[in-house]
């Protein structure tokens, strides 16, 4: 993977998604972001916003993440987000029109993906990245699910089947096993 054509995509690490089931992964994400920044990597954050009448509200009766502070990035990431691109979305996928344009303009070929929820937003983003001809790398120890460990593990199983088991890496494997060239 070439560093100059790659970006770290941190999916929806927002106050409203940091729960008892996901809180444990925030320090791992913070450390991953720091390490990525240290090697000169580009970072992108996505933030989910719900709205009145959304499919999430209508079909799932889910009424969360309408406004701050729930929609704010977790405090541990606010400073690093100042040096990053932040993409807002109203869907599961972070590969929005704005994000697709950024990928094209920057000539990105690889997205290193972590965040919340492994089985929902991370999964949908990974599948969209794959289907757009880009290479997704999923950082397993920097992702979690509000559905708990079973939902996280289910997401990883589906991702591995859909895009290849070799695309599932830990933070350490990302920095030691992959060749990051410029």
């Amino acid at each position: 993977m070439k560093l100059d054509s790659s970006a770290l995509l941190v999916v929806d690490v927002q106050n409203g998604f940091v729960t008892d089931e996901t809180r444990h992964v925030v320090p791992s994400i913070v450390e991953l972001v720091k390490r990525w920044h240290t090697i000169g990597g580009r970072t992108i954050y996505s933030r989910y916003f719900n709205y009145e009448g959304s499919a999430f509200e209508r079909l799932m009766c889910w009424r969360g993440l309408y406004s701050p502070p729930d929609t704010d990035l977790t405090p541990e990431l606010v400073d690093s987000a100042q040096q990053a691109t932040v993409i807002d979305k109203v869907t599961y996928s972070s590969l929005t029109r704005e994000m697709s344009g950024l990928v094209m303009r920057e000539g990105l070929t690889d997205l290193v993906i972590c965040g919340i929820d492994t089985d929902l937003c991370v999964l949908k983003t990974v599948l969209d990245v794959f289907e757009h001809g880009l290479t997704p790398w999923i950082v397993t120890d920097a992702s979690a699910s509000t559905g708990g460990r079973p939902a996280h593990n289910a997401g990883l199983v589906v991702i591995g089947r859909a895009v290849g088991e070799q695309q599932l890496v830990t933070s350490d494997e990302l920095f030691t096993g992959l060749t990051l060239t410029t």
Side-chain angles (χ1 to χ4, degrees):
M1 169 176 25
K2 289 182 142 192
L3 190 59
D4 59 359
S5 60
S6 303
L8 173 62
L9 174 57
V10 181
V11 177
D12 302 351
V13 185
Q14 298 166 258
N15 291 329
F17 289 131
V18 177
T19 66
D20 289 342
E21 292 82 10
T22 61
R23 188 168 286 108
H24 72 278
V25 81
V26 173
S28 298
I29 294 169
V30 169
E31 182 61 26
L32 174 61
V33 168
K34 285 179 185 173
R35 288 176 76 183
W36 189 256
H37 180 73
T38 299
I39 63 168
R42 174 191 189 104
T43 304
I44 304 166
Y45 291 89
S46 71
R47 293 184 306 187
Y48 171 77
F49 287 83
N50 203 359
Y51 59 92
E52 201 169 309
S54 72
F56 297 97
E57 187 180 89
R58 289 183 302 105
L59 302 175
M60 299 168 57
C61 298
W62 183 71
R63 290 171 168 70
L65 277 90
Y66 290 104
S67 60
D70 288 345
T71 54
D72 294 339
L73 293 173
T74 190
E76 297 89 337
L77 294 173
V78 169
D79 287 343
S80 63
Q82 307 266 335
Q83 305 165 31
T85 303
V86 179
I87 303 286
D88 293 335
K89 64 190 184 85
V90 295
T91 60
Y92 282 125
S93 182
S94 297
L95 196 62
T96 63
R97 183 172 293 154
E98 180 183 1
M99 179 68 173
S100 293
L102 175 71
V103 165
M104 295 291 285
R105 281 190 310 279
E106 299 295 323
L108 299 177
T109 59
D110 293 70
L111 290 176
V112 176
I113 303 167
C114 68
I116 302 171
D117 278 314
T118 312
D119 58 320
L120 298 170
C121 295
V122 171
L123 169 64
K124 180 66 165 108
T125 299
V126 167
L127 294 177
D128 287 352
V129 165
F130 176 84
E131 288 186 344
H132 280 80
L134 304 168
T135 303
W137 298 94
I138 302 79
V139 187
T140 59
D141 60 340
S143 298
S145 176
T146 57
R149 178 69 61 185
H152 169 73
N153 289 341
L156 293 178
V157 168
V158 173
I159 290 169
R161 285 181 37 86
V163 303
E165 296 275 335
Q166 72 280 359
Q167 301 313 116
L168 301 169
V169 296
T170 64
S171 296
D172 285 341
E173 289 168 342
L174 176 67
F175 290 101
T176 59
L178 299 177
T179 305
L180 296 171
T181 60
T182 54

